[in-house]
Amino acid sequence: MSTTGEHLPSTRSLDAEAFARIRASTDESKSTVVEWQGQVLSYLPGDRPKLVFNVQGMSIARVKKLENGSYDLMGREVQLYLDPKTNEVLHTWHNPWSDQDVTVVHVANNPIYQNFPAASAFEARSQPGGNYSLQINIPLAYPNPLNPSADSTSPMYPYTGPQALYSAIESFTFSFPGAELDSAADSVPSVQVYWTRTSPLLPFMATPATNVTLLFVANGAKVEGGWQNLSPILRNVIEVTLPAYKDAPTSRDRPGGGVSSWSYFARPEVLQAYKDGTTFPLPDLPADV
């Protein structure tokens, strides 16, 4: 179906393979890099919303087609929390709700996994200029990785509070040229990504019982040429501290979705480094099980 003319179909139905090409590439030998930048804001009913951080992040991912026809996405992601005035990487942060300085634990999730079933169906809508947009909303609810029983005597209680269930909402919008989708290439290269997420306060903030919600708002794009063409701030972190992020995983080492910011914080060595005031992100850690 050609999309180079003025009159695009108002919607396009996309299958799992099409989404794999949009998100990454169907060539299993290739790693796909996405970089984003944005802000984190806080919201408390009855209070004025606040700008908490700027953020800059990247992911590197590989897609593999499985025997059942589904597609496995295997990746790694890092996100840095930046001072909203200077854009410098933060190593400590003054928590306005506790009036305490805390160590900042940047996102370093390795590995991360997603699976797109063979029967997956997505709907993209036409946009001006021959583009399409695809929106995916993901309600999240699962046992709190830090303290699933909300045990008040748990050493994790100061960081997660009485939350037996972690809940959040994540939304992605992918914008891409229809002509690239129609090509025979293994990837749709000119993809822009818009991301929003709600979340409780992060564990490193150490103030779980505030009723404050965080809102992450960011946008980014695929990066041609791999990690070496990332912004200097991210490239430096990978070169110096996280060399594993130069390439995506080639296979799974566990079921499920892999590492999240909360399960990462629950690792004993991470919690101890946080208490010791160590600079994050930590050097590449061995895979946990």
Side-chain angles (χ1 to χ4, degrees), residues 17 63 71 221 251 260:
E17 180 179 357
V63 168
Y71 288 82
S251 62
S260 71

Side-chain angles (χ1 to χ4, degrees), residues 41-279:
L41 301 101
S42 67
Y43 170 74
L44 177 66
D47 197 2
R48 188 181 298 275
K50 297 179 178 67
L51 173 59
V52 183
F53 305 122
N54 289 343
V55 293
Q56 194 151 359
M58 62 81 67
S59 70
I60 188 162
R62 185 188 317 276
V63 168
K64 182 177 183 179
K65 188 174 184 180
L66 304 183
E67 291 182 359
N68 62 9
S70 70
Y71 288 82
D72 243 3
L73 182 142
M74 305 166 291
R76 320 181 204 275
E77 62 184 8
V78 60
Q79 178 172 266
L80 303 176
Y81 297 110
L82 312 178
D83 185 297
K85 294 181 179 179
T86 67
N87 252 7
E88 295 294 319
V89 178
L90 288 168
H91 300 300
T92 61
W93 172 70
H94 186 77
N95 184 329
W97 298 286
S98 67
D99 198 28
Q100 300 292 318
D101 290 337
V102 297
T103 300
V104 174
V105 179
H106 301 284
V107 175
N109 295 337
N110 176 23
I112 55 171
Y113 300 126
Q114 290 178 280
N115 182 266
F116 314 123
S120 296
F122 307 93
E123 184 176 81
R125 296 186 175 276
S126 63
Q127 302 293 328
N131 286 347
Y132 280 87
S133 66
L134 168 64
Q135 185 172 20
I136 299 176
N137 299 316
I138 309 171
L140 298 168
Y142 49 80
N144 183 344
L146 275 69
N147 190 6
S149 62
D151 180 2
S152 61
T153 65
S154 166
M156 291 296 183
Y157 192 85
Y159 311 107
T160 186
Q163 301 179 56
L165 188 73
Y166 175 86
S167 60
I169 300 171
E170 194 161 35
S171 178
F172 296 92
T173 299
F174 300 90
S175 178
F176 50 90
E180 290 186 5
L181 181 67
D182 290 337
S183 78
D186 54 73
S187 176
V188 177
S190 305
V191 175
Q192 293 180 301
V193 184
Y194 304 89
W195 170 60
T196 59
R197 182 175 180 132
T198 64
S199 168
L201 289 183
L202 301 168
F204 75 78
M205 295 176 168
T207 44
T210 58
N211 201 32
V212 175
T213 296
L214 296 179
L215 175 65
F216 295 72
V217 183
N219 67 86
K222 284 184 175 180
V223 178
E224 289 295 316
W227 71 273
Q228 292 174 313
N229 287 335
L230 288 165
S231 298
I233 192 172
L234 292 167
R235 190 171 65 245
N236 180 67
V237 167
I238 292 172
E239 287 179 326
V240 174
T241 309
L242 300 173
Y245 288 64
K246 294 179 181 180
D247 200 13
T250 57
S251 62
R252 275 184 177 263
D253 64 1
R254 74 196 77 182
V259 177
S260 71
S261 298
W262 285 49
S263 67
Y264 177 82
F265 191 86
R267 296 180 66 161
E269 64 270 42
V270 173
L271 180 59
Q272 188 59 54
Y274 166 82
K275 291 179 177 179
D276 292 342
T278 304
T279 297

